[in-house]
């Protein structure tokens, strides 16, 4: 006596900007079984290291993902710099921090919008993306690209930001802060939203940790993991607060991201205050020989670029382990027993970036 | 100008794109660009759509869904390939799992270059598509059957 | 004395047919007898209609003493029989109740019955005629249908002992008892026939002789015996009140008004509640679905439960305006709402039908309990519409069950492709149950209009509004199930027998026709009856009737719009599957490389409308209400 | 209870002018360094082929024999690599993005640079 | 002029002819205002008409031909319900016809045997059971004030109905949110895309069929707003103002709420609307008994 | 920029389960499992982290060696192990969720086990 409904969720589905698919088995609207399947974006560009010189692979690495493009590029470059023992100029490191944090703002605002959309709050979606345009404007003004910045380079960055622009940027941040304050207040306090998020997709601290959750997904469950604390780039000279929340449900993850918006603007201010003058890049000669696991904090969590060179211009292996990949097992746990209406909310609550995940 | 041109509804499919173009399509819906000015609605359902906005270089697993989504759009319909991955495979052209461009799978009417394609560029692309949509409608009227492949035929 | 002959004929002829059926062993002969008897009964009840519709209440005196003696002997024999079965199957409750009842009966017969003289034992009025028509036409149609059904049934269920002679015999005894019940003016006679229906249903429910069937039949028996005890108590009360027994004359009793009639009315209504399977006694009717489908159809539509509501509607004028009446009405209302909710959580087709029956009976009792003239009108209307649509639905479900081997609604997906004719009939039957402008909605509508002027009517309107919407839910989702067009399915209905088709066609026709001519039925039968009792009557506004009939016609011509589309070439399309293509056998590519079949089930919302929870609520609420009624009654008696 | 947190924001927004840029009636958002499309000063290109080699998307083809510089706009990822690496800085990034097209084509540009017989003279007449 | 007995027919016809125009306009204004609330320019006011015009220019792929029948019936009975209402018919009959038309769209969704339509259909049914009690209570409330179920009588009444039925009015506004498919309760069609069940009931309708559904929605808007008129019927100016205010509030709610799950929708509609309605009617009943 | 040096411990396939169990017991979380083809051999890296302390163990195997799954200790390892199987063709024994080669359905079977291509520069459009 079956009372089941099978819903093929995705690959084409309006709530998924990127294709994944889930086979949802429902009883009424209760999800009794969910089997995810990915691979719709697997391009296999990790193998491109065999065809592109390591200096040009930067452009490929940047296009791993359209949302955190800069961080991918920078992490790759930092990994190569580690192998080749290149000392990157201070200013470049600060600029990387600034752009990384702007990437994070961009990503989190984008996510807030999509998240609002997933529970049917269209106006909030529009509001979040309206604010996000401010971040993108800054990005375009300083790098020339809205979403694919293209300023990473081994040995530094490709563009400098003038000090006047930095001053203006700090002033603009106040406006941004104000708008984000308004947005996040609604997010965290509106009861209709809390009704949709509280106690939905809950995952305990232990589960989150042992299932390998990273980034806001882990921090929402109270696991204080933030790779910026390892002090790569210029982060060791900045005060990085780790935002956590203890409930482990969708609202907690939302809270973490909402608060991180402000830590990001704060980090940008710190960096703008401390940034020294000087060159933004050094000349790179030779080829990488050796291996390194470069870990960095992406908006979605811990990103690992494993790079292995053998002394030629072509790397042996580039392996990108993205936060979403490791957040998928916790996601499966979260989805068990939720309602159909919660599925998009929970899926989005880990902020999935499938194009990174599948490379 | 017919109604078709005043109310193009879109459906978006991400055929292994890097996300850049996708979020720009979404950005085009949001206040700063607001394509609803032109009557464009992101329907999310191919059966309601007129225009397929497609991003990404099409990998092995995406071929079938892409074709399926295309087939489910009722005639007249146009396909707009957004971004250079969708147009030619782009930087990922040489990857083992990439077919290289939407037009390898389904007929493409408009190519929108850019990496990532800017929202303005996407608007331009859709506007260009409107002209083609109108031609297809006329062709459908005169011939009695749609200009492209019929929806059911391909199965 | 033409009409009296008809009455006697209707009571006795089925008995004769039953005797023949009990001895006949050949299938073909049995089939012939059943068909002949059914046609005869149908025709006689129609003749009764033609001759009797304008005569008002006719009362006939029949020599009662010898008949009463026979009745007493039969009752004692039956009591002994039940006692034996009760002991055999160790049903202590049944034993207790039958001993109690028999004790009351014997005591009554020995110490009170001495100087009873009831002359007017039979009577007929418009309400009786309506009941007779329902029993005579729908009941006998079901019997005809049963012939073919039982043959298939025994082919499919080899484990069940073939006792078809007894089965058909009991069916016709059942009909006879029902006729007797609606024509009797002597409450003792009513009681006799009442007990006969109880025992017939007991035997029919237990037909399959499985453990479940036996248990459920005893459940039904115990509950109905409890009602019987109450009935007996009412009779004893009446005789104690007036030893001449004049109060046992039903029409006389009703005419005496509340002073005498209230106590027996409530007691008999309690009996009616048990028989009509209202909460807290609904479980027996739900359990009764283990019986072969024609039995369920019979129990649910034209006999048994209708006997319960019949007697309650009879006593409606007595109940009107009393607190006890309100309590009984509330029991009905609660039953309506809760049974409708519970039907949502069921996927067994017969169980859904059972809950729907319980709900509708609840509504009828709610109308009768409040008991104003327009509500009485509604109650009778409900009895008619419900009987037709429900019998059609049961028989359709039975046919489907015989073909696909399941009574699970989920297995009825795509019936419109597999068994198009049956599906359309079911569709019409269901429409009859909940869609405008068909019967039940007309009644619901009239009920709202009637309740609004009745005392405490608001409560019932609220119940009707909420319960009614639940009805929409469970019927529509079932409808949706049978009309969903699935691929790769073949027509499988061609093997259904001819006389079965005839029965189904007639019932389907009746659903539609009765909707069209119900103004006529109302003005010829119901309105005079109500007028006779209350001095005023009611009807639907003419303008509304016109509109309803126009809507009905519109609904009938709408399907022809399909022809319009059939001609134009339409590109075939597959359902939207999130970009995943589906093949003709409804499989699509699922995760982990599995080819999955698309399965769609309805919602059952068990958390919200779960059977157990609501049943407990309903039982305790209704017991509470009955208790209040009982306490009030005690106050009246003392 | 905090329902309707959004009401104030929504009501304020409805009173304000929309933030929408009325593209195409209004000009598109652009910055001086926006990466639109690659342009070539054909009079300065020395056909060295660096841009072709350094192009990660292999969109540029230079023919030394035919003296042509060819770019496939549907391949160019606008990464600025060629502009950065061009030894004579004859490539530059225009801020205007490439317009959508309905058919594939490549931009073929004839290089008019002539190796100057004498230094200092870079401005050869184009015709 | 039109003879008296034909007036109802005339009004009904006027509704059938003009309601789509008005309804489409309302939808257009709705979209414009919504866009402005989101800081966008929004589509032209006439956009809904373009949309429907476009849909009729498209081909009509169906999963099963019976879908056409259900959609047409949906439209026709929606027209019947509205026409009955505007010709002054019996409120209860109007409500039943209204339910009937919705059953047809639900059946149309079931007919295609597609997962999203199916879930949409189930949810649409949940919506129907959520709002129906309140709508019936509204009609009953009208009766208690004016002693008639006939719209013609209710409209002609000079009693300020709203003063007697404030609870019913609020309850009606709550279910109106369901009927207008506005945000907190937009669970069966997910009007603005990007949602959990794609397009719910309408998922497998395309082209002209979808157009018909859209037109039926317009009829529905006009009918539903017409009910608001009844509350203020004694003063037409106030009625128009009330309709405008109510509609604006609905848009505002749409823009300031996230979509709830069905459980909460059912609970809200039944408990809030039911309690408000029943308390309101109870008070009326009591007053009616005390002060005849 | 001061980064901690990264330690990689080479172990045998047979020691894998034991080593992983030790990490698990010490409260490390699994960061990643990654595979690299070096010549004809495959290096498999198991990386763990605890309080930003990064540990890496490596087994080096031939293409036909079967690797035991560590999903008993780390439930989430299935995603990496399936990936390893789909991209490198390494057989993993005892995965808790086995996609059976459907995690990444690639045009080329086991693409990363194919011999590396190097210079294809100047590839004409």
């Amino acid at each position: 006596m079956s009372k089941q409904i099978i819903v093929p969720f995705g690959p084409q589905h309006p709530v998924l900007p990127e294709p994944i698919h889930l086979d949802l088995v429902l009883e009424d609207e209760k999800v009794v079984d969910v089997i995810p399947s990915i691979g719709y974006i697997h391009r296999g560009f990790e193998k491109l290291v065999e065809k592109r010189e390591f200096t040009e692979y930067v452009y490929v690495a940047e296009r791993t993902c359209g949302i955190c493009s800069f961080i991918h590029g920078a992490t790759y470059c930092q990994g190569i710099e580690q192998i080749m023992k290149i000392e990157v100029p201070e200013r470049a490191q600060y600029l990387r921090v600034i752009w990384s944090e702007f990437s994070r703002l961009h990503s989190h605002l984008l996510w807030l919008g999509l998240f609002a959309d997933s529970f049917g709050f269209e106006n909030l979606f529009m509001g979040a993306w309206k604010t996000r345009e401010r971040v993108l404007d800054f990005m375009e003004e300083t790098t020339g690209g809205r979403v694919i910045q293209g300023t990473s380079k081994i040995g530094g960055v490709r563009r400098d930001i003038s000090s006047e622009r930095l001053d203006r940027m700090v002033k603009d941040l106040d406006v941004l802060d104000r708008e984000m304050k308004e947005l996040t207040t609604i997010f965290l306090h509106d009861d209709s939203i809390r009704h949709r998020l509280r106690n939905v997709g809950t995952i305990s601290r232990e589960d989150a940790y042992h299932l390998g959750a990273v980034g806001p997904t882990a921090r929402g469950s109270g696991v204080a993991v933030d790779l910026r604390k390892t002090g790569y780039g210029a982060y060791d000279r900045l005060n990085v607060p780790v935002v956590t929340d203890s409930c482990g449900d969708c609202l907690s993850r939302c809270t973490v991201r909402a608060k991180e918006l402000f830590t990001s603007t704060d980090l940008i201010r710190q960096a703008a205050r401390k940034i020294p003058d000087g060159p933004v890049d050094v000349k790179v000669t030779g080829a990488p020989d050796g291996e390194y696991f470069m870990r960095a904090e992406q908006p979605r969590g811990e990103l690992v670029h494993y790079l292995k060179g053998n002394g030629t211009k072509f790397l042996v292996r580039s392996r990108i382990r993205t936060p979403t990949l490791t957040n998928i097992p916790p996601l499966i746990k979260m989805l068990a027993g939720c309602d159909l209406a919660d599925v998009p909310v929970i899926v989005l609550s880990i902020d999935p970036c499938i194009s990174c995940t599948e490379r | 100008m017919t109604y078709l041109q005043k109310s193009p509804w879109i459906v978006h499919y991400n055929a292994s794109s890097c996300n850049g173009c996708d979020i720009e399509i979404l950005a085009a819906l949001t206040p700063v660009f607001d394509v609803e000015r032109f009557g464009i609605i992101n329907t999310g359902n191919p059966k309601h759509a007129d225009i397929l906005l497609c991003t990404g270089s099409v990998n092995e697993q995406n071929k079938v869904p892409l074709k399926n989504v295309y087939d489910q759009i009722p005639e007249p319909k146009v396909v707009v390939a957004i971004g250079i991955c969708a147009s030619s495979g782009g930087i990922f052209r040489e990857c083992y799992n990439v077919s290289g461009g939407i037009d390898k799978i389904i007929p493409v009417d408009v190519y929108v270059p850019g990496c990532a394609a800017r929202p303005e560029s996407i608007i331009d692309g859709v506007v260009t598509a409107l002209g083609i949509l109108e031609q297809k409608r006329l062709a459908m009227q005169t011939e009695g059957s749609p200009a492209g492949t019929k929806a059911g035929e391909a199965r | 004395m033409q009409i009296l002959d008809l009455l006697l004929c209707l009571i006795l002829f089925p008995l004769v047919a039953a005797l023949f059926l009990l001895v006949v062993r050949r299938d073909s002969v049995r089939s012939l007898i059943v068909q002949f008897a059914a046609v005869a009964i149908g025709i006689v009840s129609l003749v009764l209609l033609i001759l009797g519709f304008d005569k008002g209440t006719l009362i006939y005196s029949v020599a009662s003493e010898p008949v009463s003696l026979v009745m007493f002997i039969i009752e004692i024999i039956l009591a002994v029989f039940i006692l034996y079965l009760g002991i055999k199957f160790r049903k202590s409750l049944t034993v207790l109740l039958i001993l109690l009842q028999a004790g009351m009966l014997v005591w009554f017969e020995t110490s009170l019955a001495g100087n009873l003289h009831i002359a007017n034992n039979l009577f007929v009025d418009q309400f009786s005629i309506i009941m007779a028509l329902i029993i005579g036409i729908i009941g006998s149609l079901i019997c005809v249908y049963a012939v073919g059904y039982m043959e298939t049934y025994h082919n499919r269920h080899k484990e069940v002992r073939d006792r078809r002679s007894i089965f058909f015999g009991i069916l016709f005894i059942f009909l006879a008892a029902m006729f007797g019940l609606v024509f009797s003016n002597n409450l003792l006679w009513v009681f006799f026939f009442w007990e006969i229906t109880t025992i017939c249903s007991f035997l029919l429910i237990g037909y399959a002789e499985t453990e479940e069937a036996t248990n459920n039949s005893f459940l039904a028996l115990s509950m109905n015996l409890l009602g019987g005890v109450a009935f007996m108590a009412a009779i004893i009360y009446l005789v104690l009140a007036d030893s001449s027994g004049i109060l046992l004359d039903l029409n006389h009793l009703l005419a005496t008004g509340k002073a005498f009639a209230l106590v027996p009315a409530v007691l008999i209504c309690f009996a009616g509640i048990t028989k009509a399977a209202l909460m807290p006694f609904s479980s027996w009717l739900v359990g009764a679905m283990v019986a072969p489908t024609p039995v369920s159809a019979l129990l649910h539509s034209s006999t048994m439960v209708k006997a319960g509501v019949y007697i309650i509607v009879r006593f409606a004028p007595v109940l009107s305006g009393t607190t006890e009446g309100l309590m009984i009405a509330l029991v009905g209302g609660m039953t309506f709402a809760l049974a409708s909710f519970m039907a949502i959580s069921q996927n067994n087709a017969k169980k859904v039908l059972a809950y729907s029956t319980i709900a509708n009976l609840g509504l009828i009792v709610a109308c009768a309990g409040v008991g104003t003239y327009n509500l009485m009108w509604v109650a009778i209307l409900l009895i008619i519409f419900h009987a037709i649509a429900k019998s059609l639905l049961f028989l359709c479900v039975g046919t489907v069950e015989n073909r696909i081997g399941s009574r699970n609604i989920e297995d009825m997906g795509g019936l419109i492709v597999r068994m198009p004719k049956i599906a359309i009939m079911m569709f019409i039957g269901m429409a009859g149950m909940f869609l405008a402008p068909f019967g039940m909605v007309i009644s619901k509508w009239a009920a709202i209009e009637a309740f609004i002027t009745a005392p405490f009517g608001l409560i019932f309107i609220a119940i009707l509004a909420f319960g009614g919407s639940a009805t929409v839910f469970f019927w529509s989702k079932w409808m949706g199930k049978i009309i969903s067009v699935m691929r790769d399915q073949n027509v499988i209905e061609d093997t259904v027998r001819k006389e079965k088709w005839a029965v189904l066609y007639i019932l389907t026709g009746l659903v539609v026709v009765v909707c069209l001519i119900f103004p006529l039925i109302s003005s010829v039968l119901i309105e005079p009856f109500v007028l006779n009792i209350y001095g005023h009557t009611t009807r639907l506004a003419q303008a509304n009737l016109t509109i309803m009939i126009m809507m009905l016609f519109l609904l009938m011509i709408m399907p022809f719009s399909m022809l319009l589309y059939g001609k134009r070439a339409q590109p075939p399309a597959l359902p939207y599957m999130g970009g995943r293509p589906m093949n003709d056998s409804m499989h699509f590519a699922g995760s982990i490389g599995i080819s999955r079949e698309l399965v769609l089930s309805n919602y059952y919302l068990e958390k919200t409308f779960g059977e157990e929870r609501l049943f407990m609520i309903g039982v305790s609420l209704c017991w509470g209400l009955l208790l209040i009624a009982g306490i009030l009654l005690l106050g009246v008696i003392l | 209870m905090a329902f309707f947190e959004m009401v104030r924001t929504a009501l304020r927004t409805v009173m304000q002018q929309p933030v929408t840029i009325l593209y195409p009636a209004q000009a598109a958002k652009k910055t001086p360094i926006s990466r639109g499309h690659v342009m070539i000063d054909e009079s300065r290109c020395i056909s060295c082929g660096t841009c072709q080699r350094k192009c990660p998307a292999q969109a540029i083809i230079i023919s030394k024999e035919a003296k042509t510089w060819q770019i496939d706009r549907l391949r160019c990822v606008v990464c600025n690599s060629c502009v950065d690496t061009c030894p004579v800085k004859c490539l530059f990034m225009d801020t205007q993005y490439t317009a959508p097209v309905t058919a594939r084509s490549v931009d073929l540009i004839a290089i008019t640079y002539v190796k100057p017989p004498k230094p200092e003279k870079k401005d050869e007449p184009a015709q | 002029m039109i003879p008296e007995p034909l007036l109802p027919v005339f009004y009904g016809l006027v509704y059938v002819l003009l309601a789509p125009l008005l309804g489409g306009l309302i939808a257009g204004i709705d979209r414009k205002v919504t866009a402005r609330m989101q800081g966008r320019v929004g589509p032209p006011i006439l956009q809904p008409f373009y949309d429907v015009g476009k849909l009729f220019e498209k081909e009509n792929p169906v999963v099963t031909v019976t879908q056409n029948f259900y959609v047409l019936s949906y439209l026709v009975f929606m027209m019947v319900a509205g026409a009955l209402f505007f010709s002054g018919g019996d409120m209860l009959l109007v409500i039943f016809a209204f339910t009937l038309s919705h059953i047809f769209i639900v059946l149309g969704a079931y007919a295609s045997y597609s997962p999203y339509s199916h879930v949409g259909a189930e949810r649409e049914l949940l919506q129907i059971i959520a709002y129906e009690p309140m709508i019936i209570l509204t009609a009953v409330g009208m009766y208690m004030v004016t002693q008639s179920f006939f719209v013609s009588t209710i409209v002609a009444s000079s009693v300020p109905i709203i003063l007697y039925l404030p609870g019913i009015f609020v309850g009606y506004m709550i279910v109106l949110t369901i009927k207008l498919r506005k945000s907190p309760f937009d669970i069966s069609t997910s009007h603005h895309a990007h949602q959990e069940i794609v397009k719910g009931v309408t998922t497998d309708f395309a082209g002209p069929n979808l157009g018909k559904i859209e037109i039926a929605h317009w009829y529905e808007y006009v009918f539903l707003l017409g009910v608001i008129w009844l509350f203020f019927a004694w003063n037409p100016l106030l009625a128009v103002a009330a309709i405008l205010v109510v509609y604006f509030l609905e848009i505002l709610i749409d823009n300031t709420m996230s979509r709830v799950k069905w459980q909460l929708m059912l609970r809200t509609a039944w408990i809030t609307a039911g309690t408000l309605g029943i308390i309101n009617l109870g008070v009326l009943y009591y007053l009616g008994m005390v002060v005849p | 920029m001061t980064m901690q040096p990264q330690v990689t411990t080479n172990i045998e396939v047979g020691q894998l389960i034991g080593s992983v169990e030790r990490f698990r017991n010490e409260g490390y979380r699994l960061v990643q499992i990654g595979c690299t083809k070096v010549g004809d051999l495959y290096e498999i890296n198991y990386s763990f982290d605890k309080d930003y302390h990064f540990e890496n163990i490596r087994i080096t195997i031939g293409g036909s060696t079967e690797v035991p799954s560590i999903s008993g200790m780390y439930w989430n390892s299935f995603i990496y192990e399936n990936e390893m199987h789909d991209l490198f063709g390494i057989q993993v024994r005892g995965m808790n969720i086995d996609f059976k080669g459907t995690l990444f359905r690639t045009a080329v079977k086991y693409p990363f086990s194919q011999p590396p291509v190097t210079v294809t520069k100047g590839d004409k459009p």
Side-chain angles (χ1 to χ4, degrees), chain C residues 469 485 565 576 586 601-602, chain E residues 62 111 113 118 122 129 204 212:
Chain C
S469 64
V485 177
Y565 290 98
Y576 172 76
M586 319 280 296
S601 306
N602 280 319
Chain E
V62 284
Y113 203 76
H118 180 88
E122 302 280 352
I129 71 168
D204 281 287
K212 281 177 208 151

Side-chain angles (χ1 to χ4, degrees), chain C residues 222-274:
Chain C
S222 317
M223 287 187 169
N224 279 299
L225 284 178
L226 189 65
V229 170
F231 205 123
M232 200 58 221
I235 290 174
I236 291 172
Y237 173 84
L238 285 172
V239 176
L240 286 175
D242 185 337
S243 61
S244 73
I246 186 70
L247 288 175
L248 290 181
D249 181 322
L250 182 60
N251 274 292
H252 183 78
L253 177 67
L254 291 173
T256 57
K258 296 186 174 96
F260 282 112
L262 187 59
V263 174
V266 173
L267 284 172
I268 290 175
C269 284
F270 177 79
I273 286 174
T274 59

Side-chain angles (χ1 to χ4, degrees), chain E:
Chain E
M1 274 308 287
I2 307 128
E4 181 75 27
L6 284 182
L7 263 180
V9 181
F10 170 72
Y11 286 134
L13 273 179
V14 167
Y15 168 80
V16 169
L17 294 177
L18 294 187
L21 296 182
L22 190 57
L25 209 60
I26 291 171
I29 293 169
D30 181 349
R31 278 173 70 177
K32 192 80 182 174
V33 174
T34 301
R36 289 302 296 268
M37 275 186 187
Q38 299 169 343
R40 298 185 283 130
V41 171
I45 299 276
L46 295 181
Q47 187 61 41
F49 297 105
Y50 302 150
D51 290 349
V52 168
K54 186 273 307 270
L55 288 170
F56 280 98
E57 283 174 2
K58 302 271 289 184
E59 65 171 2
N60 186 23
V62 284
V63 180
T64 148
V65 271
T66 50
Q67 280 182 313
N68 297 315
F69 156 63
Y70 297 118
V71 166
L72 191 63
S73 302
Y74 173 51
L75 177 60
V76 166
F77 281 99
M78 189 58 81
M79 278 155 72
V80 167
L84 271 180
F85 179 83
F86 281 90
S87 60
D90 191 314
M91 272 293 275
L92 289 175
L93 187 54
V94 171
I95 293 168
F96 293 135
F98 188 62
T99 310
L100 176 65
S101 81
H102 278 94
I103 297 300
F104 273 113
I105 187 72
V106 170
L107 294 180
Y110 274 120
S112 61
Y113 203 76
S114 124
Y116 291 99
S117 297
H118 180 88
V119 173
E122 302 280 352
R123 286 182 167 197
E124 179 79 25
L125 280 178
L126 280 169
Q127 290 196 345
I128 292 176
I129 71 168
Y131 70 72
E132 217 195 39
M134 190 59 227
I135 297 207
I136 288 177
L137 289 183
T138 308
V140 171
M142 300 273 175
Y143 180 92
M144 293 186 75
V145 178
T146 62
Q147 300 303 313
S148 170
F149 277 117
F150 282 89
V151 175
S152 48
T153 320
I154 299 171
V155 165
S157 154
S158 59
V159 187
I161 298 175
I162 178 73
L163 295 183
Y164 291 87
L165 300 174
I168 294 274
F169 184 70
V170 175
Y172 181 75
M173 267 185 65
I174 290 171
V175 298
L176 193 62
T177 318
I178 302 179
K179 282 318 300 153
L180 294 177
R181 300 173 191 289
K182 292 292 183 194
S183 189
F185 305 129
D186 176 24
I187 63 167
S188 76
T189 49
S190 301
H191 238 46
H192 301 290
H194 301 111
Q195 320 288 359
E196 64 247 35
I197 53 165
V198 190
K199 286 285 185 181
V201 238
T202 60
T203 305
D204 281 287
F205 293 107
N209 277 342
L210 191 62
K212 281 177 208 151
I213 292 174
E214 205 55 44
I215 293 174
H217 283 172
W218 296 347
Y219 275 112
E220 195 180 343
Y221 290 166
V222 176
F223 159 66
L224 290 167
L225 296 178
V227 176
I228 296 177
W229 180 289
L230 294 187
F231 285 95
F232 297 88
W234 92 98
N235 187 340
L237 262 178
L238 203 60
V240 173
I243 288 175
L244 290 177
V245 169
V246 167
Y247 204 81
F248 181 77
L249 279 179
E250 293 291 350
I251 298 175
L252 190 63
I253 290 171
D254 184 29
N255 271 292
T256 53
M257 293 278 252
S258 61
R259 189 174 56 251
V260 301
K261 295 191 236 170
W262 71 264
Q263 294 95 330
L264 188 65
M265 180 206 62
L266 195 60
R267 228 180 306 147
T268 315
W270 274 18
I271 296 178
T272 323
T275 336
L276 279 175
I278 290 169
I279 288 176
N280 192 161
L281 292 184
V283 169
L284 264 191
Y285 181 73
Y286 177 73
L287 289 180
M289 284 206 306
V290 177
V291 203

Side-chain angles (χ1 to χ4, degrees), chain A residues 32 175 195 203 207 245 268 336:
Chain A
V32 291
V175 185
H195 154 74
I203 188 160
D207 272 358
D245 204 88
I268 295 169

Side-chain angles (χ1 to χ4, degrees), chain A residues 3-4 12 23 28-29, chain C residues 576 580 591 601 604-606:
Chain A
K3 289 186 178 179
Q4 294 188 329
Q12 198 276 324
D23 286 353
D28 292 359
E29 292 217 349
Chain C
Y576 172 76
R580 284 187 256 176
S591 297
S601 306
Y604 292 95
L605 315 182
E606 266 172 47

Side-chain angles (χ1 to χ4, degrees), chain A residues 56 291 293 295 317 319, chain F residues 6 32 35 49 58 121:
Chain A
E56 281 167 41
E291 60 184 328
F293 289 91
R295 301 194 296 161
R317 174 81 166 123
R319 188 249 193 289
Chain F
Q6 288 177 344
Q32 66 105 29
C35 196
D49 177 283
R58 171 176 299 164
K121 274 269 133 159

